[in-house]
Amino acid sequence: QANLAQVFGEHRHGMEGSVDVLQATLFVAGQPATTLRLSDYRFEGFVHPEAYLDEHGRALTLRSPWAEQHHDVKEGLAWLRSNRTRHKRIFRRKASRFRLGSEVNASQRLPAYFRNVALNASFWIEQLQAAGVGIQGSYINLGAADGVSDDPLHAFAMQDVRLASGPALAVEAQEALCARHREELPWVTLVCQRVSTRNLGALVQRVFPTESAREEVDVLKVDVDSFEGPLIEEAIQRQGLRPKLLLVEVNAGIPPPLQYALLDSPQLERFGTEVSLAIGDNAPMEVNAPFAGVSVSYLVRRLAPHYGLLELGSPDAVFVRTDLLSALGRKAPLDEFQAFARGWVDVHGFSRHQLRRWLFELDEVEALGEFHNHLTDWMLSRFGTMLPFTLGV
């Protein structure tokens, strides 16, 4: 942990000041849309304020312009403890009614774990191999980017896939990223086009033409920054894929039990999901719109009983086929409520105050209403129209 802390700039005593002091400009379609506090749009940190505390009660923070600092953690703890009984009651009631998983990891873990170890497919593949599970060195990577930067499949591609000459498919829409992918991973079949529920079957069959081949895929990763939910359902329910592991980017601003998924649509193709933020005079950095992606509860519900939540990283959720849970030393899938509350998140389009209110202060109906209003107001004010999505509990 000490080495990871040094790598990611973490420390035990916190930083002074507040994340709320920074102002940013939000750009939509390349044009400045509004000026706002950076922390009202992007937040990286633990959802539960007490998850910051070490065994001595000291707060761990991260050196980042959008991560909570020492002052913010103290403020979050004061808010949580000001009405602890009510917050616990609401959280526990929702969890008891809606959760599907039951396993809880109560150990303290550094942000580096959620950002690095939990999202390295080889970390899980090696455990499956050690338990005697056969790995052929195969994967499908939807939203592959360059196949290297922040890609949880990169180590797996460089080792198992390359050495075993296993079948591997990568799909990426941006030609510049495709060019780098071809250079870095020439042994992976790359398709440079936009993936959708309409063409996924044809793309998969290029590399996995038989039913048995589709049932033997080691890993499926979906990270398209938009309609991950429908893509996962198409892959598993209609294309017959049965990967051992699933890695799916989730929208960390949507707490359990809200089941949300953005749908593919002509409106989505027109407006897209990427916006950008500029801090001061710095160049804008790409971020996701608040409506992008899928919530963890949507995936947990849609994938059960064949897949269970193995880990909730930042930003991906890791699922494993339930027949392989015991090979990883698990008796049951993770409790998605506890995993979310104690996890490290990178939230785009929401503030930490909204996220905690929806999880700890409001019941599921109230939270759904506030979330719906936030989302629809955002779309209407920026686009003048609504993008199709599904939302429920």
Side-chain angles (χ1 to χ4, degrees):
Q1 281 193 335
N3 290 335
L4 290 175
Q6 292 171 7
V7 169
F8 284 91
E10 298 157 2
H11 57 106
R12 290 289 183 180
H13 298 289
M15 295 174 67
E16 295 302 327
S18 170
V19 69
D20 294 329
V21 300
L22 289 176
Q23 296 289 306
T25 301
L26 179 70
F27 289 79
V28 179
Q31 299 299 316
T34 186
T35 299
L36 73 173
R37 289 192 311 183
L38 176 64
S39 61
D40 285 340
Y41 195 91
R42 186 164 183 189
F43 158 60
E44 187 177 13
F46 287 111
V47 178
H48 199 304
E50 290 181 346
Y52 283 102
L53 304 180
D54 66 9
E55 63 275 15
H56 303 294
R58 296 177 297 184
L60 176 153
T61 59
L62 185 71
R63 293 189 181 97
S64 165
W66 42 81
E68 284 182 297
Q69 302 308 316
H70 191 68
H71 170 82
D72 305 310
V73 174
K74 288 196 296 184
E75 185 182 73
L77 288 168
W79 168 83
L80 184 74
R81 293 165 177 173
S82 66
N83 208 339
R84 177 185 290 273
T85 301
R86 180 171 181 269
H87 292 158
K88 277 188 174 182
R89 183 181 70 251
I90 291 172
F91 179 84
R92 288 175 176 173
R93 176 188 170 276
K94 289 191 290 189
S96 66
R97 294 189 66 207
F98 295 103
R99 68 181 167 207
L100 290 188
S102 59
E103 182 133 334
V104 175
N105 188 336
S107 63
Q108 186 187 29
R109 291 169 291 174
L110 292 173
Y113 172 83
F114 297 99
R115 304 166 82 206
N116 186 10
V117 178
L119 301 184
N120 180 356
S122 293
F123 176 76
W124 306 107
I125 289 291
E126 289 167 6
Q127 293 180 56
L128 289 173
Q129 289 175 314
V133 177
I135 300 296
Q136 66 168 343
S138 62
Y139 70 70
I140 298 173
N141 190 352
L142 305 180
D146 62 5
V148 179
S149 306
D150 296 325
D151 194 319
L153 291 175
H154 181 242
F156 186 52
M158 296 296 293
Q159 299 168 21
D160 300 70
V161 177
R162 181 170 61 89
L163 296 177
S165 298
L169 169 66
V171 184
E172 171 53 46
Q174 297 185 40
E175 179 55 49
L177 294 173
C178 289
R180 293 204 292 271
H181 194 290
R182 293 188 192 99
E183 181 179 348
E184 296 288 342
L185 303 171
W187 56 90
V188 174
T189 300
L190 175 67
V191 180
C192 195
Q193 70 179 76
R194 181 182 186 269
V195 65
S196 73
T197 55
R198 292 172 288 182
N199 66 7
L200 178 60
L203 294 175
V204 168
Q205 289 181 29
R206 293 189 188 188
V207 179
F208 302 90
T210 66
E211 182 179 346
S212 61
R214 292 190 289 275
E215 290 180 347
E216 293 173 0
V217 175
D218 293 324
V219 188
L220 168 62
K221 191 209 88 176
V222 184
D223 179 2
V224 295
D225 295 329
S226 56
F227 52 99
E228 281 84 354
L231 277 177
I232 283 289
E233 292 178 274
E234 178 69 22
I236 302 300
Q237 298 175 9
R238 289 179 283 278
Q239 299 303 325
L241 291 170
R242 293 191 70 247
K244 300 172 183 68
L245 292 172
L246 282 170
L247 287 83
V248 189
E249 182 174 18
V250 296
N251 187 325
I254 312 173
L258 300 186
Q259 297 182 50
Y260 170 85
L262 180 65
L263 305 178
D264 195 9
S265 65
Q267 295 96 319
L268 176 62
E269 289 193 57
R270 176 185 175 189
F271 293 109
T273 61
E274 288 188 352
V275 296
S276 56
L277 282 173
I279 304 173
D281 296 328
N282 294 317
M285 55 184 173
E286 287 188 357
V287 293
N288 284 336
F291 57 81
V294 63
S295 69
V296 65
S297 283
Y298 183 96
L299 294 174
V300 167
R301 285 282 170 178
R302 295 306 197 281
L303 292 171
H306 304 295
Y307 287 86
L309 184 63
L310 180 62
E311 188 57 273
L312 187 56
S314 178
D316 293 1
V318 184
F319 291 83
V320 65
R321 248 178 27 214
T322 47
D323 63 301
L324 298 176
L325 271 170
S326 60
L328 295 169
R330 302 288 182 88
K331 295 180 180 179
L334 276 182
D335 177 332
E336 63 272 24
F337 279 79
Q338 288 292 339
F340 188 92
R342 294 285 174 174
W344 181 271
V345 297
D346 187 357
V347 173
H348 296 218
F350 312 96
S351 73
R352 65 191 189 279
H353 305 298
Q354 288 175 299
L355 181 56
R356 288 168 180 159
R357 173 174 164 81
W358 295 337
L359 185 62
F360 297 113
E361 261 190 8
L362 302 184
D363 67 24
E364 66 279 3
V365 175
E366 295 166 331
L368 183 144
E370 278 201 10
F371 172 79
H372 176 272
N373 288 344
H374 177 82
L375 210 61
T376 54
D377 289 349
W378 200 98
M379 292 184 197
L380 291 171
S381 64
R382 272 75 182 183
F383 304 142
T385 188
M386 296 279 295
L387 277 65
F389 63 87
T390 179
L391 175 63
V393 293

